[in-house]
Amino acid sequence: MRSRTLAGSALVLALLAGCGGGDPAPENTADAARESAMTALAHSDDHLQTESFTVEVESGDAMRTTSRMDVPNRRAEMALRQATGEEQSMTIRTRLLGDDVFMQIEGASIPGVDTRWMRIDRSKIGRGLEVGFTPGTNDAGGAGRLLAAITDARRLPDGRYKGTVDLAQVGTGTGLSFSTSDIAGLGDAARAVPFLATVDERGRLTHLQIDLPAITAGKAPTIETRYTAFGEPFDVQAPPAGQVVTPPDSVYRYFGGR
């Protein structure tokens, strides 16, 4: 959980820097600016619990998600497309209506699965991969975990924020995740990955770019997350009952469950 005491720390630093009747020491000014930036980013996703939004996550041709979430009214729909090989991909579509979760999977080699919608038992999904409307499971962009893993930040003259994030602290969950093997492949570079963030005039996160280190020769991958359509209404319908089936156990094993 992110600390909510950063603002207080920034205030204390600012007061200390002002004591003594002279100009604040450069290091104290820098510390206060860092704390202010960290505080602004820590709160930049608070609104995701109180208003609807659309989030898109993209990493070149490897992965793309588009999701609409409305936590107050408990409805959402998500679509994930992920490359699984040369000219091959998997698509997962999910609809949430209250406590009901429906999922459709295409392109994945899961025994017993076809393209029909499935009613998912959330209790059988692996921990950290479940979806719902409680904090930590309701943002397909994964902003909360990413923001909590920021290790350094500063505000740029144009109002954006720049800094570093420790991918080893992000963990798994709804939205972007980095597995143990991902972190191991990046080595020490995973501890200080550059990011660039934009917030709007109300302090809401609208864009987050993470520049991953190149594991092999070639262009380093970039992950971009965009939040839009704040407060805009939308509707989600459950699939027709005649088109919904009970998923086989292989689906739950695929998602780390039982």
Side-chain angles (χ1 to χ4, degrees), residues 113-132:
V113 173
D114 52 32
T115 59
R116 289 176 293 179
W117 284 93
M118 298 173 288
R119 184 186 293 272
I120 301 297
D121 182 344
R122 291 186 300 168
S123 68
K124 295 183 178 181
I125 297 292
R127 185 175 182 181
L129 297 178
E130 65 271 24
V131 293

Side-chain angles (χ1 to χ4, degrees), residues 28-217:
N28 288 346
T29 301
D31 287 345
R34 176 183 181 275
E35 294 290 346
S36 177
M38 296 282 283
T39 298
L41 290 170
H43 288 280
S44 65
D45 69 328
D46 289 351
H47 63 97
L48 301 182
Q49 304 303 316
T50 59
E51 64 180 346
S52 62
F53 63 91
T54 295
V55 58
E56 296 177 285
V57 183
E58 183 176 6
S59 180
D61 296 329
M63 180 271 294
R64 182 181 181 88
T65 69
T66 301
S67 307
R68 297 192 298 177
M69 299 289 305
D70 185 349
V71 175
N73 292 302
R74 292 171 56 82
R75 58 191 173 202
E77 60 180 359
M78 314 169 190
L80 161 68
R81 180 187 178 278
Q82 183 173 346
T84 57
E86 187 174 348
E87 298 184 357
Q88 294 180 322
S89 65
M90 171 184 66
T91 300
I92 300 177
R93 298 181 181 88
T94 307
R95 295 181 186 176
L96 280 68
L97 290 160
D99 293 327
D100 293 329
V101 180
F102 303 94
M103 184 179 293
Q104 181 187 56
I105 303 175
E106 297 179 10
S109 299
I110 304 176
V113 173
D114 52 32
T115 59
R116 289 176 293 179
W117 284 93
M118 298 173 288
R119 184 186 293 272
I120 301 297
D121 182 344
R122 291 186 300 168
S123 68
K124 295 183 178 181
I125 297 292
R127 185 175 182 181
L129 297 178
E130 65 271 24
V131 293
F133 295 104
T134 56
T137 68
N138 55 22
D139 174 17
R145 290 179 295 104
L146 288 165
L147 294 172
I150 290 176
T151 54
D152 192 29
R154 62 187 176 92
R155 192 172 188 267
L156 300 176
D158 64 5
R160 293 181 298 172
Y161 293 88
K162 184 178 183 179
T164 54
V165 59
D166 182 354
L167 298 188
Q169 296 182 26
V170 174
T172 59
T174 307
L176 286 178
S177 296
F178 299 93
S179 66
T180 302
S181 59
D182 292 332
I183 304 303
L186 293 173
D188 292 341
R191 297 288 181 175
V193 175
F195 78 86
L196 187 64
T198 303
V199 300
D200 65 10
E201 67 281 355
R202 289 177 51 185
R204 300 177 300 192
L205 180 69
T206 59
H207 180 255
L208 181 64
Q209 176 179 313
I210 300 176
D211 297 316
L212 297 176
I215 300 176
T216 59

